[in-house]
């Protein structure tokens, strides 16, 4: 049987998220709620408040704090409806553990299928509408990051993916670049990334 | 037979122990030739999962040498002087796709150093973690091979399976990459038999058989990146009919009780590595079906000691040497990552191949750059 027919036989496997609720979400990638002061290694919990952008989801706060299953742990400060029909992203890894890279890649899996929203990856910053930065800032990638940013045409957006890129997480310092979109998590769940990207492109 | 695995800090690690040894730096045999040029790929490029630079010395088609620089995204990880469970938070983030292998090798070194007897059920939980990690990684490697070939249907079907495995891991262990799962003294796990494994087996079986029958797919792998080397590890060694596998050798985890059988092939090329990874997925599923996850704890203690912990990660031997002082803090740590060995094997195997072979050969080794460029402080 040809690959084409095999594909047809399998049928549609894409989920209806974000129109419908996400399925089978790993708890320790979602919003955390609770109370009390705990021994938090990144100070994500201070004075009974949880800062999603610092959290590395290590469970040190459990059972005082528990995951809720809510995947909306991102902040879109600037969106651009110009990108509504086609939104090209250039991902750059400036010092990751590989977790963000893999979760981002899984947006192309049939479950999420980001292309149905007109979201695509591009192999060059020249074709990119958004620069997606992952990882802590390493010395070797500093120049590559700046060159990628400068190579991009206007208008352009910066997306910071994961605790390392937003706050430095546990391992170091974040890249010196201001994010228009900040997607929390260690690593962020693909549901969280997908919803953040859909909102960023102005849908 | 005694085999050398690789450098573990100031030591040489063998399958039956470790000894202090000098660093032997292997120099490239490449000499500039008329008409050849350096094609630079990376460190940041769309086709790569991570940041790495490849210097490909070529005449335009025939490859004379490949020099891989994995140090663009080198991270310094401050771990010395930290307590064991605090150190684990950092170990988890060395290489997320291999977190179970890293944390379990680290904990096995600690437990051996401090003379702790780990409950049998906990060892079975750990096998479940490593085998789920192996299934995910092998599926991803095969997906990357189909992606390089532009095979959209198997590519999508394999990604569906990778996501499915991630959801199974997330359901039973709370986190899709095993962060916060293992700790000194126990494990965070949802008890019971792992469900939905039959779906993975059925779907993958169909895909694997279809790929083996696809001449235009296997033509890209056969004869590509041949490496039969005594220094090989993991699927690269087993694809060359070398029966090297820490699951067979390391007594720390009771693999033999689960009827573990080693998977080998005899072509020593990217095709052999693809076959070995495929066969290993079935073997891992078979072992997982015999495991009942249980939440177990053990009493930890403060003492000083030093030891090596070693596991068979999805890409081969992974080991930690750890020294703990009497305050329960890490005083020395060395890592031997499978990717650091596989990157050398990849470079050697690439010489005399052609340009278009490169992505298939690169993916077949299952290299993760994040675990190579790590410096401990």
């Amino acid at each position: 049987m040809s690959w084409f027919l095999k594909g047809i036989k399998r049928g549609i496997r894409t989920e209806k998220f974000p129109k419908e609720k996400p399925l089978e979400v790993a708890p320790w990638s979602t919003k955390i709620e609770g109370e009390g002061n705990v021994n938090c290694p990144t100070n994500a919990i201070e004075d009974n408040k949880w800062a999603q952008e610092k959290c590395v989801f290590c469970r040190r706060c459990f059972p005082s704090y528990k995951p809720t299953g809510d995947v909306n742990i991102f902040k879109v400060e600037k969106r651009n409806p110009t990108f509504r029909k086609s939104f090209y992203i250039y991902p750059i890894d400036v010092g990751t553990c590989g977790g963000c890279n893999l979760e981002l890649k899984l947006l192309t899996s049939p479950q999420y299928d980001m292309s149905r929203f007109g979201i695509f990856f591009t192999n060059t910053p020249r074709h990119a509408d958004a620069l997606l930065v992952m990882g802590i800032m390493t010395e070797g990638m500093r120049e590559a990051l700046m060159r990628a940013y400068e190579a991009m045409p206007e208008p352009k957006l910066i997306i910071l993916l994961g605790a390392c890129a937003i706050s430095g997480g546990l391992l170091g310092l974040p890249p010196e670049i201001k994010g228009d979109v900040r997607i929390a998590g260690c690593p962020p769940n693909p549901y969280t990334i997908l919803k953040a990207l859909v909102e960023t492109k102005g849908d | 037979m005694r085999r050398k695995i690789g450098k573990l800090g100031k030591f040489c690690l063998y399958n039956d122990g470790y000894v202090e040894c000098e660093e032997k730096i292997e120099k490239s045999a490449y000499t500039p030739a008329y008409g050849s040029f350096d094609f630079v790929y990376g460190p940041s490029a769309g086709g790569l999962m991570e940041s790495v630079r490849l210097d490909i010395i070529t005449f335009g088609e025939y490859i004379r040498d490949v020099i891989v620089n994995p140090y663009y995204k080198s991270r310094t990880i401050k771990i010395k002087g930290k307590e064991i469970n605090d150190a684990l938070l950092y170990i988890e983030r060395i290489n997320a796709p291999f977190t179970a292998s890293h944390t379990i090798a680290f904990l096995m070194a600690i437990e051996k150093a401090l003379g702790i007897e780990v409950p049998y059920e906990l060892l079975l939980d750990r096998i479940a973690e490593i085998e789920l990690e192996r299934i995910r990684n092998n599926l991803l490697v095969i997906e990357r091979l189909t992606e390089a070939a532009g095979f959209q249907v198997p590519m999508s079907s394999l990604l569906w399976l990778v996501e499915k495995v991630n959801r199974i891991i997330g359901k039973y262990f709370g986190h899709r990459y095993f962060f916060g799962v293992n700790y000194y003294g126990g494990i965070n796990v949802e008890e019971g038999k792992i469900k939905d494994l039959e779906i993975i087996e059925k779907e993958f079986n169909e895909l694997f058989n279809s790929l083996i029958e696809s001449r235009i797919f296997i033509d890209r792998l056969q004869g590509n990146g041949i490496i039969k080397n005594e220094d090989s590890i993991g699927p690269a060694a087993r694809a060359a009919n070398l029966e090297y596998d820490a699951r067979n050798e390391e007594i720390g985890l009771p693999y033999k009780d689960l009827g573990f059988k080693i998977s080998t092939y005899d072509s020593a090329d990217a095709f052999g590595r693809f076959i070995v990874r495929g066969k290993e997925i079935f073997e891992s599923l078979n072992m997982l079906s015999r495991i009942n996850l249980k939440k177990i704890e053990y009493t930890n203690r403060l003492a000083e000691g030093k030891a090596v912990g070693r596991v068979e990660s999805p890409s081969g031997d992974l080991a930690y040497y750890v020294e703990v002082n009497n305050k329960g803090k890490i005083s020395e740590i060395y890592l031997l990552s499978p990717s650091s060995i596989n990157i050398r094997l990849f470079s050697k195997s690439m010489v005399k191949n052609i340009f278009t072979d490169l992505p298939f050969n690169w993916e077949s080794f299952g290299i993760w750059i994040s675990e190579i460029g790590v410096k401990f402080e």
Side-chain angles (χ1 to χ4, degrees), chain A:
Chain A
M1 197 193 296
S2 75
W3 285 110
F4 173 73
L5 291 174
K6 276 177 186 145
I8 298 281
K9 196 180 142 206
R10 284 207 171 85
I12 295 168
R13 290 179 153 188
T14 303
E15 294 168 7
K16 294 209 166 67
F17 179 83
K19 280 186 182 163
E20 287 184 7
K21 281 188 177 174
L23 309 169
E24 301 174 290
V25 184
W28 291 96
S29 61
T30 63
K31 191 178 175 184
I32 288 169
E33 273 180 6
E35 53 184 41
N37 280 323
V38 291
N39 177 22
C40 177
T42 57
N43 299 323
I45 296 174
E46 279 182 317
D47 303 327
N48 279 328
K49 279 184 190 157
W50 177 64
Q52 62 185 31
E53 299 185 343
K54 288 185 187 173
C55 185
V56 291
F57 299 85
C58 65
R59 312 184 200 199
R60 291 286 174 90
C61 55
F62 186 80
S64 301
Y65 288 78
K66 288 175 186 166
T68 60
D70 181 356
V71 297
N72 296 299
I73 51 168
F74 59 89
K75 203 165 189 182
V76 180
E77 282 186 352
K78 195 168 139 192
R79 68 192 74 204
N80 197 331
T82 311
F83 307 136
R84 186 170 281 161
K85 287 197 174 168
S86 91
F87 187 39
Y88 277 81
I89 296 166
Y90 181 73
I92 185 163
D93 162 9
V94 296
T96 69
C97 64
C100 288
N101 314 44
L102 191 44
E103 292 295 60
L104 183 69
K105 182 176 174 52
L106 283 169
L107 292 188
T108 61
S109 72
Q111 286 95 329
Y112 304 104
D113 183 22
M114 66 177 191
S115 65
R116 72 192 147 125
F117 299 105
I119 306 172
F120 311 97
F121 293 131
T122 172
N123 286 350
T124 163
R126 287 269 188 239
H127 296 167
D129 303 313
L131 180 68
L132 186 144
V133 188
M134 310 172 272
I136 56 165
M137 192 69 249
T138 55
E139 213 39 59
M141 286 305 292
R142 195 180 298 273
E143 192 191 334
L145 173 65
M146 292 326 293
R147 285 176 66 175
Y149 177 76
E150 282 157 16
M152 286 170 67
E154 293 284 354
K156 54 189 171 188
L157 293 170
I158 306 296
I159 301 166
L160 302 179
L161 185 73
C164 289
I166 303 173
S167 65
L170 198 68
L171 300 184
L173 294 170
E176 301 101 356
I177 194 162
K178 192 184 173 300
D180 302 310
V181 179
R182 298 192 297 274
I183 308 171
C186 185
N189 194 289
Y191 283 121
T192 307
I193 308 172
L194 184 61
K195 196 162 181 194
L197 295 182
V198 170
E199 285 195 18
T200 305
K201 66 191 267 292
D203 270 6

Side-chain angles (χ1 to χ4, degrees), chain B residues 73-216:
Chain B
K73 56 175 265 188
S74 281
R75 294 168 301 160
T76 301
I77 298 188
K78 290 174 184 162
I79 211 163
K80 290 179 195 171
K82 289 202 158 55
E83 286 178 11
I84 296 164
N85 277 327
D86 288 342
L88 261 169
L89 292 177
Y90 292 78
I91 298 290
E92 284 172 350
R93 285 158 182 84
I94 287 174
N95 181 19
F98 287 7
T99 290
S101 303
H102 276 268
T103 51
I104 291 167
F106 175 79
L107 277 172
M108 281 167 66
I110 296 281
E111 288 152 358
K112 213 189 283 180
L114 306 186
I116 287 166
E117 201 169 313
V118 181
Y120 186 76
E121 287 90 345
L122 181 53
L123 296 177
L124 292 178
D125 290 342
R126 289 179 177 177
I127 289 179
E129 287 180 55
I130 295 174
E131 294 314 306
L132 280 167
E133 193 164 86
R134 190 180 322 281
I135 293 169
R136 174 180 60 203
N137 184 75
N138 288 0
L139 286 169
L140 183 71
V141 167
I142 297 171
E143 184 276 330
R144 297 284 290 167
L145 293 172
T146 59
E147 199 174 331
F151 275 31
Q152 292 291 325
V153 174
M155 190 187 109
S156 293
S157 305
L158 286 158
L159 272 179
W160 185 86
L161 285 172
V162 173
E163 174 61 19
K164 186 81 191 156
V165 176
N166 259 7
R167 289 182 183 187
I168 291 173
I169 296 170
K171 183 178 169 188
Y172 287 92
F173 297 92
H175 191 283
R176 289 156 62 93
Y177 295 89
F178 298 105
F179 289 4
V181 172
N182 299 300
Y183 58 90
Y184 179 44
I187 184 169
N188 285 313
V189 68
E190 196 73 37
E191 296 197 339
K193 280 252 180 208
I194 301 172
K195 289 179 186 158
D196 285 351
L197 294 176
E198 312 74 38
I199 301 166
I200 310 270
E201 184 161 12
K202 184 178 172 287
E203 292 253 337
F204 180 68
N205 188 37
E206 198 185 306
L207 278 166
F208 190 55
N209 289 328
S210 301
L211 285 170
I212 290 171
E213 284 167 14
S214 171
R215 194 69 246 172
I216 47 173

